[in-house]
Amino acid sequence: MKEKKAFIFFNCDEEKSQASMNVFYNQEIYRDLKGARKALLSKVESEQAAGRVHIAEADMAAVEQAILAGEPTDASAYIQYGSIESFTII
């Protein structure tokens, strides 16, 4: 049986240190479902629009691809001051 995953977007420091990822500030959990992945992308885009994270224009397609169709945590490599973490749902 394939394990179920969930994703959380975190605002964080430039080094993506665990200490800077606050689960009390970022508490929206996105299941590994098509609608939830779209909501996660929307969250990342709104954080970018608000200036809380930075994603180079050239990297936006890779971020969208990773979140919508691939492994959402891979998008973290393109997000400055933000990270997507994966958790197994039991």
Side-chain angles (χ1 to χ4, degrees):
M1 184 175 153
K2 186 177 172 229
E3 64 181 21
K4 294 181 178 166
K5 293 200 168 194
F7 306 98
I8 299 179
F9 170 82
F10 287 101
N11 297 92
C12 60
D13 62 18
E14 197 167 5
E15 288 77 38
K16 300 184 190 312
S17 70
Q18 290 288 312
S20 71
M21 297 181 194
N22 185 341
V23 76
F24 296 106
Y25 181 74
N26 300 112
Q27 48 191 247
E28 290 175 71
I29 298 172
Y30 303 91
R31 301 272 315 263
D32 192 5
L33 302 168
K34 197 171 198 168
R37 283 175 174 247
K38 284 183 180 174
L40 175 57
L41 178 60
S42 179
K43 171 68 173 175
V44 170
E45 290 171 339
S46 69
E47 290 294 305
Q48 165 94 335
R52 290 186 286 268
V53 301
H54 177 73
I55 303 166
E57 192 64 42
D59 293 333
M60 274 312 294
V63 169
E64 285 181 28
Q65 167 65 26
I67 292 173
L68 296 178
E71 176 57 48
T73 55
D74 292 347
S76 297
Y78 303 103
I79 305 171
Q80 186 178 21
Y81 305 114
S83 182
I84 298 170
E85 299 294 313
S86 171
F87 300 90
T88 301
I89 301 173
I90 299 173

